[in-house]
Amino acid sequence: MTDSDIDEMGPVDYLVIEFPADRPPDGSALPLLRDLVERGIVRVLDLAFVQKDPDGSVAGIDIADVGLEGEVDVTLFAEAASGLLDDTDFAEAGAALEPGCSAAVLVYENTWAAPFARALRRNGAQLVASGRIPVQSILSSLDRIESES
């Protein structure tokens, strides 16, 4: 990836999605992710799976070996490997997991925001902070507001 490619990109985010030890991923979210890709909303840069063993060791899992059920086409996602993720990232993802659980590590570009980001960069602006508000926090705040009124 060249500097000019990076200048054209939208913001890049990552997610670590933990799956319970007793319920491995079923693949039901992959068609929804594929739809986002096909509509140009996101571009999947990396999708990897990791497993945290009961002893705490973390290992990568090939998407074909995850055990997805049904007619899930993983071709698009099996090829998503930009090289951005390395063993350090997998270890950090594993540190967030409960023993015995597996996780998907997803790195994606917000392509919908690329024109906005390019315009800001041309004017010398830069992103200095970002974050995400968990849905649970929003629900808790709404409950608190409702109980106060």
Side-chain angles (χ1 to χ4, degrees), residues 17-35:
I17 304 150
E18 181 181 76
F19 301 102
D22 62 341
R23 287 183 304 186
D26 65 2
S28 61
L30 289 177
L32 300 169
L33 182 57
R34 177 182 283 279
D35 180 59

Side-chain angles (χ1 to χ4, degrees), residues 1 18 26-27 29 45 48 50 60-61 99 136 142:
M1 199 174 287
E18 181 181 76
D26 65 2
L45 301 174
V50 294
I61 309 169
Q136 295 85 349
L142 291 174

Side-chain angles (χ1 to χ4, degrees), residues 113-135:
F116 177 67
R118 282 192 300 268
L120 291 172
R121 284 191 291 264
R122 279 194 295 271
N123 285 326
Q126 63 181 349
L127 180 65
V128 295
S130 74
R132 177 157 284 133
I133 301 171
V135 172

Side-chain angles (χ1 to χ4, degrees), residues 56-147:
S57 61
V58 177
I61 309 169
D62 188 276
I63 192 169
D65 298 330
V66 171
L68 302 175
E69 300 172 358
E71 300 289 324
V72 179
D73 180 10
V74 297
T75 308
L76 170 72
F77 306 111
E79 297 169 357
S82 70
L84 291 173
L85 293 174
D86 62 20
D87 290 340
T88 302
D89 299 309
F90 297 134
E92 287 181 19
L97 299 179
E98 291 295 321
C101 292
S102 62
V105 181
L106 174 65
V107 179
Y108 62 98
E109 175 192 1
N110 292 284
T111 50
W112 62 269
F116 177 67
R118 282 192 300 268
L120 291 172
R121 284 191 291 264
R122 279 194 295 271
N123 285 326
Q126 63 181 349
L127 180 65
V128 295
S130 74
R132 177 157 284 133
I133 301 171
V135 172
Q136 295 85 349
S137 294
I138 294 171
L139 293 174
S140 175
S141 293
L142 291 174
D143 287 345
R144 181 181 42 78
I145 291 168
E146 186 177 300
S147 69

